[in-house]
Amino acid sequence: MTGLPPFLAAAARLSPSAPAELARLAGLLAQLRLVVPDGQRIGPLWQQAQMLARRLPAAAPEGGGVPILSGFAPLELFRDPARIAALLRGPDALLEGIRAGQGLVVIDGSNEGRPVVGRYIDSLHAALAAAGIPPARTVWVQQNRAIAAPYAEACAARGVAPVRMVVAHSHAAELWARLVLRRGGMNWDFGFAVAHDGARRHRWVCLNYHLRPHRALLVAWLRERPEPGYLSFSVTREVQGRDQARLLVAEAAALDRADPDGARAAVLRLIDAGLHHGSDIDGFDHPRERIYSLPAAEVAQAELFIVTETEMLGPGLLRWTEKTLKAIGSGLPLVVFGNPGVVGALTALGFDMLGDFVDHGYDAEPEPARRFAAARAAVERFLARPPGFTAAELARLRAAAAHNHAVFARVMLRDSLLDPIAAILEAARG
């Protein structure tokens, strides 16, 4: 690693390809000229890419290549064509060039993911038509890996040409920078929760932020179990208004077909009690901090990481968030209450998901209520084990953590950032 700056030499020890991949990233950025629409913010995809590339000692200068008009596009914008229209404003010469096939509009929502939503499609295409931007000169970036085919079908039904969909994941890219390059500081290291021997205080750990039906129902169940665990969950922080609470209760009941009335009552008890179990997130100055933080001292005392992903109920969605990646990073066995196919997709990337500790059969179940029940049963089977880990089990977990650290270092930058930007440049030149 002679001649590399210290941060990059450390990354290269984990992933020998890291220096070449970061150089490739800088080279890709040098081939584009990024223009942010007036009054808009740069999107998370480009923000992460620029911060990484600028750390290189001889990064290629930006600004001399294919013009890309791109602003940050949180999914809430898609409810209104006028708000999307603000992302399509730029210098007249740039817009004329894009209309003529020189350059590209990139709708950057790489920090989120949604299934096909008719209103979103209508808003996007109405805004593109009003601005005279051909869909062929537009890329929509988001996290849903299953959106391209149903989106194309929805466009065909509407008689409009589809934009190009590109999957990227800005949070995964930043987590890569924090865990591999040690950028920004971290309060935990990969595999930290299996680095020590001895008894553990918690049979499980379950961390939640935004209140969701599957989270509330799971928390109600966990609080009734006899095993000690560590819970981060708050009703007071998240529920605003009784209408939202009623919707939450109804959707929670739909997840428990065996006892919907019991599910309603259990979630209502949480809401009425104003339950608040805080963790490190209570002290955050900015909500962004929670994305990468873990209450490391508590996670290190746990045996099972119960992940409650952002979504569990909707069809047509395959994505994972930093929540699942952080659970893998802890080194603990995990159960994911989330979208179908998450565990399988992460396994396909090379991660060891510790199937000998946890039955991940729930991952293949497409129907949310059955998937919730199967995931809960997987938790129950794990908790039926004797408390703690044997020496052989700890050795197995540590080997898996080392393997997963290497996979994370080797794969995550390419999957979340490099390949998406390469696909955008290919579309711009096509």
Side-chain angles (χ1 to χ4, degrees):
M1 311 305 170
T2 304
L4 293 178
F7 79 93
L8 196 49
R13 284 191 287 272
L14 278 171
S15 173
S17 62
E21 289 182 341
L22 287 175
R24 178 188 169 212
L25 174 63
L28 290 171
L29 292 180
Q31 297 175 56
L32 60 86
R33 176 167 61 90
L34 184 64
V35 179
V36 179
D38 292 341
Q40 303 299 307
R41 288 190 290 152
I42 188 172
L45 178 76
W46 306 113
Q47 185 179 50
Q48 293 301 326
Q50 289 178 345
M51 284 193 294
L52 284 171
R54 286 170 182 163
R55 293 197 65 180
L56 297 178
E62 300 171 23
V66 178
I68 304 288
L69 179 68
S70 183
F72 178 36
L75 286 167
E76 64 182 24
L77 298 188
F78 287 80
R79 300 185 180 125
D80 181 359
R83 299 185 71 185
I84 297 178
L87 300 174
L88 307 177
R89 297 173 187 145
D92 289 341
L94 172 64
L95 292 173
E96 286 302 321
I98 291 173
R99 293 179 186 121
Q102 300 168 358
L104 207 63
V105 169
V106 175
I107 309 293
D108 184 358
S110 59
N111 66 326
E112 296 178 289
R114 285 291 185 276
V116 169
V117 177
R119 180 175 52 173
Y120 291 2
I121 296 174
D122 295 338
S123 295
L124 173 61
H125 285 268
L128 291 173
I133 303 294
R137 305 311 304 170
T138 307
V139 168
W140 183 6
V141 181
Q142 62 147 293
Q143 293 177 4
N144 184 7
R145 295 166 185 254
I147 196 172
Y151 165 69
E153 291 173 4
C155 286
R158 288 166 167 75
V160 297
V163 304
R164 181 175 298 205
M165 302 298 304
V166 168
V167 175
H169 198 314
S170 62
H171 291 325
E174 175 143 348
L175 193 59
W176 184 91
R178 288 170 178 256
L179 286 171
V180 178
L181 300 184
R182 308 304 298 177
R183 192 187 77 195
M186 291 290 286
N187 67 339
W188 55 280
D189 294 308
F190 214 103
F192 72 94
V194 295
H196 68 92
D197 300 311
R200 293 170 181 256
R201 293 196 307 272
H202 310 308
R203 296 298 314 277
W204 53 267
V205 59
C206 184
L207 311 176
N208 305 272
Y209 194 78
H210 289 296
L211 189 56
R212 297 286 189 268
H214 61 290
R215 292 175 177 169
L217 188 58
L218 177 65
V219 165
W221 180 73
L222 285 171
R223 293 181 76 232
E224 293 177 354
R225 293 195 61 85
E227 300 89 357
Y230 181 81
L231 177 66
S232 172
F233 178 83
S234 176
V235 166
T236 59
R237 185 173 54 226
E238 297 302 332
V239 173
Q240 300 173 1
R242 298 303 299 180
D243 288 343
Q244 181 179 347
R246 280 196 292 270
L247 178 62
L248 180 83
V249 169
E251 292 183 339
L255 282 173
D256 192 346
R257 293 178 175 176
D259 187 13
D261 291 338
R264 290 187 191 94
V267 174
L268 279 172
R269 284 195 297 270
L270 293 180
I271 294 171
D272 292 341
L275 182 69
H276 178 85
H277 284 290
S279 66
D280 55 342
I281 57 179
D282 282 351
F284 288 167
D285 295 323
H286 190 283
R288 181 176 179 80
E289 294 178 71
R290 73 174 182 263
I291 295 173
Y292 308 107
S293 176
L294 282 174
E298 305 299 340
V299 176
Q301 286 295 316
E303 296 176 29
L304 177 69
F305 205 129
I306 303 173
V307 181
T308 54
E309 268 290 2
T310 306
E311 310 93 6
M312 190 166 191
L313 276 76
L317 184 57
L318 174 57
R319 74 157 182 154
W320 52 85
T321 70
E322 75 288 342
K323 303 170 191 65
T324 298
L325 297 178
K326 289 191 295 185
I328 293 172
S330 76
L332 293 175
L334 68 157
V335 174
V336 182
F337 287 77
N339 301 304
V342 165
V343 174
L346 289 166
T347 301
L349 285 180
F351 288 104
D352 182 344
M353 300 300 285
L354 295 167
D356 46 338
F357 283 83
V358 172
D359 177 5
H360 292 297
Y362 61 86
D363 184 62
E365 174 53 62
E367 202 282 319
R370 289 196 291 268
R371 188 166 64 259
F372 181 89
R376 192 166 64 178
V379 172
E380 198 161 23
R381 284 192 294 273
F382 183 92
L383 295 179
R385 294 163 34 99
F389 297 117
T390 67
E393 287 171 339
L394 269 178
R396 164 79 177 99
L397 292 173
R398 288 167 184 162
H403 168 85
N404 286 338
H405 197 186
V407 170
F408 186 89
R410 185 178 70 250
V411 170
M412 200 50 59
L413 178 67
R414 185 169 64 250
D415 180 76
S416 63
L417 200 64
L418 273 174
D419 289 350
I421 291 177
I424 290 169
L425 281 171
E426 178 185 359
R429 294 194 170 102

